[in-house]
Amino acid sequence: MVFAAGLGARMRPLTETTPKPLIKVGGKPLIDHMLDRFAAIGLPQAVVNVHYLAQQIKDHLATRTEPHIIISDESDLLLDQGGGIKRALPFLGKDPFFICNTDAFWIEGPHSNIERLARAWDPERMDILLLIAATTSSEGIDWPGDFTFQPDGRLKKREERFVAPFVYAGVGIVKPELFMHEPRDVFPLSPYFFEAAAKDRLFGVRLDGIWLHVGTPEAIEVAERKLVRSVL
């Protein structure tokens, strides 16, 4: 499930005419950076939700062949990430699935982080597994972190008025049954993370590489400089 429905308010003025998933970094739209990573590990299908400037995203994705794209159209109402998952459940099926933000952007280490995430998934212990990045080795972090990382891999929510050493890197694996009985149509995703953490069923995999939070126009320049240095 790729989240591509947001308004991209922090990326203005670029997003006044172009939806955030189509903003280019290193000459490639953000959404293609992520879809290419999933295609590289053989993922056959991706559900992409759309709302803001939806037709542009639909037209762009129509040119892709891998993975196969299913559009979950939220043009009538922006559902937030949790609501977007609920609406897309008929497409996603009954098995655990990846979730992905389109600004989840990193310079890969020696091994695919998505493959590492998949290998670490254990449905007996986990309801949600997140890719996390250390704030000290990331770019574009302008908030006090998200989680602490326990020795056994469990994640704990950052306590108020404290700084946490890890941030959610925008990719994870979740169980569909978490959302099947949710009565609301519009609701956020993050409370599900925190509920799983409270039950000791939220786990993390530390990103191998450099995470680049591409959330503002200024962050694009930083990300592109890092990309150039990574290939030198």
Side-chain angles (χ1 to χ4, degrees), residues 75-134:
S75 296
D76 57 334
L77 179 65
L78 185 60
L79 301 176
D80 210 331
Q81 289 189 340
I85 289 176
K86 180 184 174 182
R87 176 173 288 190
L89 284 177
F91 304 127
L92 293 166
K94 297 181 180 180
D95 294 324
F97 56 88
F98 286 103
I99 52 173
C100 176
N101 296 338
T102 53
D103 59 0
F105 187 83
W106 63 83
I107 297 171
E108 199 82 87
H111 305 288
S112 164
N113 282 290
I114 293 175
E115 284 190 328
R116 293 175 60 242
L117 199 67
R119 286 197 300 270
W121 173 251
D122 180 355
E124 297 301 317
R125 294 193 301 153
M126 306 171 184
D127 287 337
I128 301 175
L129 176 65
L130 302 180
L131 187 65
I132 58 170

Side-chain angles (χ1 to χ4, degrees), residues 23 27 36 57 100 106 126 156 179 192 215 220:
I23 297 294
D36 287 349
I57 300 176
C100 176
W106 63 83
M126 306 171 184
K156 293 296 183 182
F179 308 91
Y192 284 81
I220 295 175

Side-chain angles (χ1 to χ4, degrees), residues 158-229:
R158 178 184 65 84
E159 296 183 22
E160 292 186 16
R161 299 184 297 278
F162 286 87
V163 174
F166 291 93
V167 294
Y168 170 45
V171 177
I173 299 174
V174 301
K175 290 181 174 177
E177 53 263 37
L178 297 176
F179 308 91
M180 288 177 176
H181 303 293
E182 169 61 60
R184 296 171 294 172
D185 291 325
V186 181
F187 57 95
L189 176 59
S190 57
Y192 284 81
F193 296 170
F194 304 142
E195 182 178 347
K199 296 177 179 178
D200 288 330
R201 294 189 62 83
L202 178 71
F203 284 74
V205 170
R206 184 170 178 172
L207 181 138
D208 187 0
I210 301 174
W211 192 61
L212 307 166
H213 181 234
V214 187
T216 64
E218 296 75 22
I220 295 175
E221 182 178 350
V222 174
E224 291 187 330
R225 287 201 304 267
K226 291 287 185 179
L227 281 175
V228 170
R229 292 173 186 170

